[in-house]
Structures are given as C-alpha cells and as structure tokens.
Amino acid sequence: MRDIVVTVIIFGALPFVLKNPHIGILLWSWIGYMNPHRLAWGFAYSFPFAMIAGVVTIVAFFVSIKKLHFFWTPAMGWLLSFVVWMLVSTLFSLQFEDSLVELVRVIKIQLVIFMTLFIIKDRDKIHMLVWVIALSIGFYGIKGGVFTILSGGSAHVLGPGGFIEGNTEIGLVLVMVLPLFWYLYLNTTNKWARIGLVFSMLLIPVGILGTQSRGALLAIVAIGFFMWLKSRRKFAPFIVILMMVPMLYAFMPQTWHDRMDTMKDYENDISAMGRIQAWTFAYRLAVEKPLSGGGFGAFNPMNYERFSPGAVAEGTGMYHDSHSIYFEILGEQGFVGLGIFLMLGFFYWRIAGRIRRLTKTSIQHKWAYDLASMLQVSMVGYAVGGAFLGLAYFDLSYHFLAILIVVERIVEDSSTPNNQSVSSRDGMPENSGGWARASSSSL
C-alpha cells in the first residue's frame, strides 16, 4: 500500500511540474531529503523517483526559461568553481571509476541547486521550500523523539538512507533543520500549525540525543546558544532551553552518558582514534597531491596503505572514512578544493549577515530577517558538527546557500529606487523589471 501511495503522489505531481517548475524543486526536495520510498517495502523502495523528478524539472526549467530571471553573484561563482574543481579532481583521481560514480551523483545535486536559484524567486516559494525541507527531515526527528522516549533512550535513532543513513549523519542534519522550525513558528499564523511546530521543536532535540552521536551533541549545544542570540524573540527560546536541558540530560540512560563521556578520554576510544587516523591520512594525501587531492572515494584501504601505512595496526581496528567535512574535502579535493569550500562558508555567513542588516528594522521583511538568522544558526551547527562527520557533499548546506542568495536578491530589488511599489504579501516588487535589469547587467 505504501508503494502505491508514494508512486501515485509522485507521478500525480509530475504534470503540475511541467507547468510550474517550482513544484519540481519542491518534489525533488521532498524525495531527496525524506526518501519517502524508503518507507515502503516493495517495488518503490529502489525505484528512481528522484531521477524522474529531476529530469521532469529540468524539462520544465527549459520550457519556462523565457519567464525566468537570471542573475549572477560572487557566491554563485564560487559555487560553480567548486563544481568545476570536483571535475578536475575526478580527472586526476586515484580511483577514477569510483570517483566518476560519485561525481555524477554530486553533479545532479548541484544542478538542482542552481535551478533553485532561478526558479524559487519570491517569498511564497521560499516559504514553501523551507516547509518541505523542514518537514522532510524533521519527520525523522519527530519520529526519533517518540522512539527515544518509548525506548528510554537505549537505542540509536537512524536515518532513512543515502547520505543520512547513519545515526551520526541524521543527527547532524536534524540539528541543521531545527532552527527552520523556529523560523516557521515566527512566520506562521495558523494556530494548529504553530502548535504542531512547538511539539516538533520539543521532540526533535530528543531525537537528536537519541542518535547517540557525539558530534550532533556538540552541534546542538552550539546552535542552542546561537538560536537564542540570533532570534528576534529571545525570552521563549531561553526558557525552553533552560527547562529542556536538565530534563533531557537526566532522562537519557547510563549507556548514553558513558558514550558521551568518551569525548573526555578519546585516547582510549577506538572510534575517536579512528577519526584522528583518518584526518592524518587526509592531510598526508593532500600534501602528496596538494592541488587535486585523491578524488572522490579516496578514503579506501589501498590509499591508506600508500599514504598512511599501518593504520589498522595503530589501534583503530579498521580503515575509517573521513568523519569530517573539512578533512573529507582536503583528502578528496586537495588544498584548492578546501579553500573553495571554506569560501562558500564565508559567503554563506556574509550574505546572511547582510540580509539581517538590511532588514533589521523592516516590518515588511521581518521574514527575511528571521530566515537569515536561523540559517546562520544552521551553519553554526553544520560547522561544529561537521568537524566530526563526513557530510561535505550533502545537498542541505548548498540548498541553504541558494535560499540565502535568492532572499538577498528579493530584499535588494524591493529596496531599489525603481521598485518602491512592493507587495506586502511576498516581499517582491510588483514589477520585476529591476531584477531583470540587474540580471542582464550581471550576465
């Protein structure tokens, strides 16, 4: 039955995608982040729904290309540079065939990210995209929170598959989407939706702790402080955090506390020592191949023995993956790739900060202020938790960057002298000619 429901929903939405390409972005995001077909047990489980949704969205994109407004920003240039550099690193990869498979996967993701920049172009569409992303990933946090409570916190919360299959990966992405629920709460008027968002914000942190991921724990501590710091309403988050922290800490079982305590004695923790071994390997590989790195899939036994011999004999018991977004990029894309990756983070923070400055006193654009603030909080969680988890190529951080770029464009266009008439409903100029002029001059 689940297979049929998922199939009917996805294929039923495809005709609407051809007429409204933004529905394609929403559909692809739902499939990519929630993996609803993974909740089925029959033919739908491995059916290529994401590929079909992506192809139809691309067709809709080109059909609607005359109606879209193209523009260019430095952040987009760096994002394109990152894609180009991944192509270069693949050409010089130490394991070309494996790298090529992963490159195709990443290119598909980046293609949708770039389409998002031109298709999602007003407040309403951004708001819908945020809802889809938040609920698609938040579903596993809500479900995981209930599971953690019912199991007494003794079992691991796991992800649906793909990039976020493991407990550490789902823990990090839940940390990243948690601030979006606060943004939605601040900008939603429906009473029942707000109540649902409150319950979600109570259950998701429980689900994050239920992953028993130490990196996710550090990340949620970091975003707890920044969510209070960046929020427009500081009292409510403060009270919630103040009440929940001791309750959750006391609720979790001794096995959870024992696992978290290993961060104090990392020398005797096999997993922690494995991470250090992986980071050492990534650095040695990057020193040997400083420009291109080892390419996608460089963290394999053959390369370990070549660049960091004896890794297994040093107490790890196995060859570890990168376990860090920074060392993952360093080992696979070299120092150049790492530099571009860090520049993307710099522009992410800079754009969000600029949106906050432009909209701090604006009633019309308080939604943009709230969204930029919460996306900054998400970045803090990604930067902290990602130091211990390998999710450098996962869609979410790049999608957040695309959203920020679009929001900045909306705010800029609505405040230009030629666009004083602004719709209070979506924050977009009634005449989008300003955007078109900016776009043509940028191109």
Side-chain angles (χ1 to χ4, degrees), residues 101-180:
V101 172
E102 188 64 19
L103 174 67
V104 171
R105 184 187 189 189
V106 173
I107 290 296
K108 291 177 183 177
I109 291 172
Q110 294 297 333
L111 182 59
V112 175
I113 299 302
F114 272 97
M115 286 195 296
T116 299
L117 288 163
F118 306 121
I119 293 174
I120 304 296
K121 60 181 187 296
D122 59 54
R123 178 193 172 180
D124 286 345
K125 292 183 178 63
I126 290 173
H127 202 61
M128 285 189 287
L129 180 58
V130 172
W131 268 109
V132 169
I133 293 174
L135 293 180
S136 296
I137 297 175
F139 168 80
Y140 294 101
I142 298 167
K143 178 184 174 184
V146 174
F147 172 73
T148 300
I149 293 172
L150 294 179
S151 66
S154 60
H156 285 57
V157 173
L158 300 175
F163 277 111
I164 56 174
E165 182 174 8
N167 65 307
T168 55
E169 289 80 12
I170 189 64
L172 177 56
V173 298
L174 285 173
V175 168
M176 293 175 68
V177 300
L178 182 58
L180 295 186

Side-chain angles (χ1 to χ4, degrees), residues 35 41 77 79 100 108 158 163 178 183 192 197 235 256 291 350 397:
N35 288 274
W41 297 292
L79 186 58
L100 188 60
K108 291 177 183 177
L158 300 175
F163 277 111
L178 182 58
Y183 158 76
W192 295 109
L197 289 167
F235 183 71
W256 182 88
L291 295 180
R350 181 182 178 183
S397 60

Side-chain angles (χ1 to χ4, degrees), residues 31 64 150 166 170 190 196 200 215 253 290 300 317 350 359 362 398 413 423:
I31 297 171
S64 306
L150 294 179
I170 189 64
N190 184 277
S200 299
N300 62 58
R350 181 182 178 183
T359 59
S362 171
Y398 304 102
D413 282 356
S423 168

